[in-house]
Amino acid sequence: MNIRTVTKLAASAAVIALTAGAVKAEESVEVLHWWTSGGEAAALNVLKENLQKEGISWQDMPVAGGSGVQAMTALRARVTSGDPPTAVQMLGFDIKEWAEMGVLGNLNDLANEQGWDKVIPAALQDFSKYEGNWIAAPVNVHSTNWLWLSKAALDKAGGKTPETFDELIALLDKFKEQGLVPLAHGGQPWQDGTLWESVVLSVGGMDFYKKAVIDADTEALSGDTMRTVFDNMTKLRGYFDPNFSGRDWNLSTALVIEGKAGAQQMGDWSKGEWLRADKKPGTDFVCIRFPGTQGSVLFNSDQFVMFDVGEEKRNAQLKMASAVEDPAFQIAFNTVKGSVPARTDVPDTEFDDCGKKGMKDLADAASGGTLAGSLAHGHAQPSAVKEAVFDVVTQHLNGQLTTDQALERLPKAIAAAQ
Ligand code: GAL
């Protein structure tokens, strides 16, 4: 070996040593999530940048697919192979299911130090804690019973927002006359389920929603009120465009933004798309509660569930959880995402009118007993039951089941999944 080779070897050994040192010193988090639409990605960037400022690098593990169905499948594969990500975006009952498996970390010290107990509402804590231990950091509160309207189309139709289901139908007829797709809907089971739960609430009110969806009461699931729910779903189906099957939710939002459709029923993540397109509430679009559901809120909360990743990654994980609960982050993130803060001590001053309404509606519903978890977004039933409902609702919406058949199937499918 000549001297040049030795020097070269020594140099590369030094580089390797340096790189290894750098890798060791650099803290990072690997985050599995399904925030892949424009508005969602913009919101997530707020967190990425905040963490980068603290010297924590971000390893992104996006799994596209609204409501996280595909993300949960990807997660199962990772955990089964013994290599869970640092943090995972998750909803409601999925959190409980993972907690039961004993694979999650513990955030108690951080939560106690920062007083999470006092500022995170009980409805969220129910999912952020397991057997009294903090296992997840709630990012936001979304709500599903919203209707998003094109302001231009609404003005052309007389400007009055619909307050009842019949008024909604009358408005959709006017949108049709304007040559628009009246209702932009994406035919995916979770989106069908999101529409269905708004219709359940609209037809039966909160007591009925609780009875049918939360308590899975057989009579409520197969009786006359539920018949009207399925009949109303059939009516709404008549206002979709021919290309609705399989379409992603954000592409339906885009149809309304681009002036091709009049309205979309969707959770308030859809506001993120409007904002991303530089559109303003009250000027370009109008947010109202789905007609007939005023005063009630169906909620879901995205939480970052922290897996048990071992000491090496623990510090970065805690820094991420702490960054998520920072009140300034809660404002910066949620004003972009369309959701409202997961903390009750964050002022609404920075939020637009839809955000302010979202915060007020949530507080009123929580104190008035008209707040309930969204089924379609994992906050009403375990995933097996949720999927059983999706099956019936989607098949009915696509004409594969009559209303009589849907009413017969629904309680049975739920019972079999319980
Ligand atoms: C929801 C989630 C939102 C949004 C939406 C569409 O389940 O809570 O944050 O991402 O799915 O993907």
Side-chain angles (χ1 to χ4, degrees):
M1 205 183 283
N2 67 27
I3 185 72
R4 270 180 72 181
T5 321
V6 171
T7 322
K8 247 177 148 181
L9 278 178
S12 38
V15 168
I16 292 168
L18 263 178
T19 328
V23 167
K24 222 177 169 189
E26 184 173 83
E27 290 186 306
S28 70
V29 286
E30 189 193 9
V31 184
L32 195 162
H33 63 90
W34 64 91
W35 283 330
T36 54
S37 79
E40 291 173 332
L44 192 60
N45 253 335
V46 178
L47 183 60
K48 276 187 204 171
E49 282 168 13
N50 282 1
L51 288 177
Q52 267 153 17
K53 277 183 219 145
E54 291 193 45
I56 297 170
S57 69
W58 181 278
Q59 280 174 261
D60 208 28
M61 196 185 166
V63 182
S67 89
V69 183
Q70 285 88 330
M72 289 304 102
T73 307
L75 175 64
R76 272 190 287 280
R78 279 291 298 267
V79 180
T80 314
S81 66
D83 179 28
T86 323
V88 179
Q89 177 196 356
M90 223 185 267
L91 298 170
F93 277 84
D94 288 335
I95 306 178
K96 287 187 192 282
E97 287 165 24
W98 281 106
E100 273 164 24
M101 289 165 71
V103 287
L104 304 186
N106 183 313
L107 300 172
N108 284 355
D109 289 348
L110 180 71
N112 291 337
E113 187 191 310
Q114 301 188 339
W116 292 5
D117 261 310
K118 288 185 254 44
V119 291
I120 291 170
L124 302 196
Q125 284 194 32
D126 192 25
F127 298 104
S128 332
K129 281 181 174 177
Y130 182 69
E131 293 180 341
N133 297 316
W134 286 91
I135 46 165
V139 190
N140 61 8
V141 187
H142 269 303
S143 169
T144 60
N145 57 312
W146 288 101
L147 183 73
W148 305 87
L149 296 156
S150 147
K151 178 77 164 56
L154 179 67
D155 284 349
K156 239 178 157 179
K160 193 189 168 302
T161 51
E163 281 168 25
T164 62
F165 189 81
D166 289 346
E167 286 180 19
L168 170 64
I169 294 296
L171 181 65
L172 294 177
D173 281 331
K174 287 188 181 157
F175 288 162
K176 201 174 193 172
E177 284 162 22
Q178 290 176 28
L180 299 174
V181 173
L183 189 62
H185 179 75
Q188 295 173 345
W190 74 267
Q191 296 190 64
D192 300 341
T194 306
L195 181 63
W196 180 82
E197 69 186 23
S198 269
V199 175
V200 170
L201 187 62
S202 162
V203 172
M206 186 48 94
D207 287 346
F208 178 75
Y209 180 88
K210 286 182 180 165
K211 222 172 166 193
V213 176
I214 310 276
D215 304 339
D217 177 85
T218 303
E219 252 180 71
L221 288 167
S222 55
D224 285 347
T225 309
M226 194 55 82
R227 177 176 294 279
T228 310
V229 170
F230 280 105
D231 286 347
N232 285 0
M233 289 296 282
T234 304
K235 284 186 192 158
L236 292 175
R237 166 79 171 80
Y239 295 94
F240 301 168
D241 61 295
N243 301 321
F244 83 100
S245 280
R247 184 168 57 214
D248 286 337
W249 66 273
N250 52 318
L251 301 181
S252 297
T253 312
L255 288 179
V256 193
I257 295 176
E258 289 160 10
K260 295 178 184 148
Q264 180 187 26
Q265 188 290 312
M266 191 40 68
D268 40 14
W269 45 90
S270 126
K271 191 183 79 179
E273 300 306 297
W274 285 93
L275 300 180
R276 185 87 185 130
D278 220 14
K279 305 291 184 195
K280 306 263 173 307
T283 310
D284 304 299
F285 66 98
V286 175
C287 57
I288 59 168
R289 288 292 167 185
F290 186 78
T293 73
Q294 299 89 328
S296 290
V297 171
L298 299 182
F299 82 97
N300 65 295
S301 164
D302 293 302
Q303 310 214 9
F304 278 121
V305 173
M306 300 302 177
F307 275 76
D308 187 1
V309 283
E311 275 316 303
E312 203 186 316
K313 292 186 186 160
R314 176 109 179 116
N315 198 38
Q317 186 179 55
L318 290 175
K319 280 188 184 160
M320 177 173 166
S322 172
V324 164
E325 298 315 326
D326 173 14
F329 166 77
Q330 287 280 325
I331 295 172
F333 177 91
N334 287 307
T335 46
V336 176
K337 182 71 169 65
S339 38
V340 304
R343 300 175 62 115
T344 50
D345 61 342
V346 175
D348 70 359
T349 25
E350 302 287 318
F351 287 79
D352 60 30
D353 287 351
C354 297
K356 286 193 170 82
K357 177 171 167 54
M359 287 173 78
K360 186 174 184 307
D361 285 357
L362 178 64
D364 290 350
S367 60
T370 52
L371 176 69
S374 152
L375 173 81
H377 298 270
H379 283 68
Q381 290 284 350
S383 53
V385 172
K386 172 182 84 174
E387 274 152 33
V389 176
F390 286 175
D391 276 351
V392 176
V393 169
T394 292
Q395 286 187 44
H396 175 265
L397 196 64
N398 291 328
Q400 290 155 312
L401 291 178
T402 62
T403 291
D404 279 335
Q405 288 168 329
L407 291 172
E408 201 209 313
R409 285 270 178 99
L410 190 61
K412 287 187 189 157
I414 292 177
Q418 272 168 339

